[in-house]
Amino acid sequence: MSQNQSKFHGLLFLFFFILGSIASVWVVLRNGWWLPELASDRETIDKIFVTIFIIAGILFVLSELALSYFIFKYAGDARRKAFYLPGTTKKEILWSILPGVLVVMILEISAEFLGGASIWGKIHGEPPKDAFLVEITGEQFAWSIRYPGPDGKFGKVDPKLISYDNPLGIDMSDEASKDDIVFPAGEGVLYLPLNHPVVLLIRSKDVIHSPFIPNFRVKQDAVPGMVTRTWFVPKKEGEYELACAELCGLGHYRMKSLVVVKPMEEVQEWLSQQTPAGDIYW
Ligand SMILES: [Cu+2]
């Protein structure tokens, strides 16, 4: 390859990089591809997302420009003899440490200055005592939803009790089970109170699922054999979508439920109209 040809490749690379960047930005802006409207108290997650997005974007542009410059500057030259470049431990240590320092810096900025550490502590810490409780159980390919009823306690469940009439395996000999409000897979709505902490208890009947409510910035794996938990405060009245964020099988795409956020009185009113488990199961 001649030197001119090689230099031309450097310019071509630069041209397609600029063209590709403009085209991607245009497509994203034109289609409004951005995070859906925030409807919970998790604004910290957006702040961290945007900051990392900007830092990664700048680094991406700088490294692509450098790459194109090097292709141009060190274009092939027929008169130049190829030479052997031995590895140097010093340089290898340097270019391992530099990105390491950068990653730690980004981590530190997110954790300390943008509130990442405190929101992590909050999400994984104890939720407020008066929080609104809901349990969601994933199965291929729908969500079951259970509310604890007026006693505020969920009845015991046992996988051995799972049957056609009792899809969650609720132990009806447990007093706490009788007033539970249960929606079998795919039939429930996640009714949540506005401006009130909500605790989601998450289970799975088969494989790993992951309840994901994009508007709330809430995502937590559902792991068979254990109960996982997350909590947040819905901040905007409206209807949202609960999806599954873990590829769990062929029907994964249709694993969604409706989430409705209403003032607490309306949620209580709606709950009082539902049939308790004691009247359905035996
Ligand atoms: Cu799933």
Side-chain angles (χ1 to χ4, degrees):
M1 187 161 41
S2 76
Q3 192 178 15
N4 282 343
Q5 228 178 343
S6 191
K7 280 196 186 295
F8 177 64
H9 283 170
L11 290 175
L12 214 54
F13 183 90
L14 182 66
F15 174 73
F16 279 111
F17 169 63
I18 293 171
L19 194 76
S21 304
I22 293 172
S24 328
V25 171
W26 180 73
V27 168
V28 166
L29 290 181
R30 200 191 62 155
N31 292 304
W33 286 345
W34 192 241
L35 304 175
E37 189 196 16
L38 176 71
S40 79
D41 61 337
R42 293 194 175 177
E43 60 278 338
T44 308
I45 291 179
D46 285 20
K47 250 197 279 174
I48 295 174
F49 179 87
V50 170
T51 309
I52 293 178
F53 187 73
I54 290 170
I55 295 175
I58 292 171
L59 289 177
F60 173 69
V61 170
L62 287 180
S63 51
E64 294 304 298
L65 289 180
L67 185 56
S68 141
Y69 173 73
F70 286 134
I71 296 172
F72 183 79
K73 170 117 205 276
Y74 299 103
D77 183 350
R79 289 158 301 171
R80 192 167 64 215
K81 215 174 149 214
F83 63 96
Y84 170 68
L85 193 68
T88 64
T89 317
K90 242 194 221 162
K91 278 185 189 158
E92 274 179 36
I93 289 174
L94 186 72
W95 69 58
S96 303
I97 286 178
L98 271 181
V101 169
L102 193 74
V103 169
V104 171
M105 268 169 61
I106 294 176
L107 189 76
E108 198 53 28
I109 291 171
S110 332
E112 296 304 328
F113 299 107
L114 299 173
S118 70
I119 196 170
W120 180 262
K122 192 176 152 190
I123 292 170
H124 294 280
E126 270 309 304
K129 289 266 172 299
D130 65 335
F132 181 87
L133 272 180
V134 203
E135 181 198 74
I136 50 177
T137 305
E139 66 176 78
Q140 290 171 318
F141 296 99
W143 301 103
S144 305
I145 297 170
R146 180 161 70 135
Y147 298 86
D151 67 350
K153 276 193 207 120
F154 288 112
K156 288 197 193 84
V157 289
D158 184 343
K160 290 190 203 91
L161 298 173
I162 291 178
S163 67
Y164 182 76
D165 295 314
N166 188 358
L168 288 180
I170 296 171
D171 181 354
M172 289 314 288
S173 65
D174 182 2
E175 269 311 304
S177 300
K178 306 230 152 73
D179 67 344
D180 287 6
I181 295 158
V182 182
F183 294 95
E187 290 174 29
V189 174
L190 208 53
Y191 242 83
L192 305 178
L194 180 67
N195 292 324
H196 193 91
V198 170
V199 174
L200 283 186
L201 296 176
I202 302 156
R203 320 165 73 101
S204 168
K205 274 169 75 174
D206 39 42
V207 297
I208 298 175
H209 300 276
S210 185
F212 178 32
I213 312 174
N215 290 84
F216 295 167
R217 315 297 189 249
V218 165
K219 191 193 278 173
Q220 175 66 53
D221 275 6
V223 185
M226 65 191 285
V227 181
T228 49
R229 184 183 77 181
T230 190
W231 76 274
F232 56 92
V233 182
K235 287 281 185 189
K236 270 193 188 119
E237 220 178 303
E239 293 189 353
Y240 307 101
E241 186 182 292
L242 163 73
C244 181
E246 183 73 55
L247 183 55
C248 53
L250 278 178
H252 166 68
Y253 69 94
R254 63 179 143 90
M255 207 169 157
K256 65 173 182 177
S257 276
L258 179 67
V259 181
V260 176
V261 175
K262 292 269 181 209
M264 184 59 115
E265 310 81 67
E266 282 178 54
V267 174
Q268 295 298 3
E269 163 88 34
W270 179 81
L271 281 171
S272 68
Q273 291 161 0
Q274 311 305 316
T275 317
D279 296 352
I280 305 174
Y281 299 121
W282 55 88

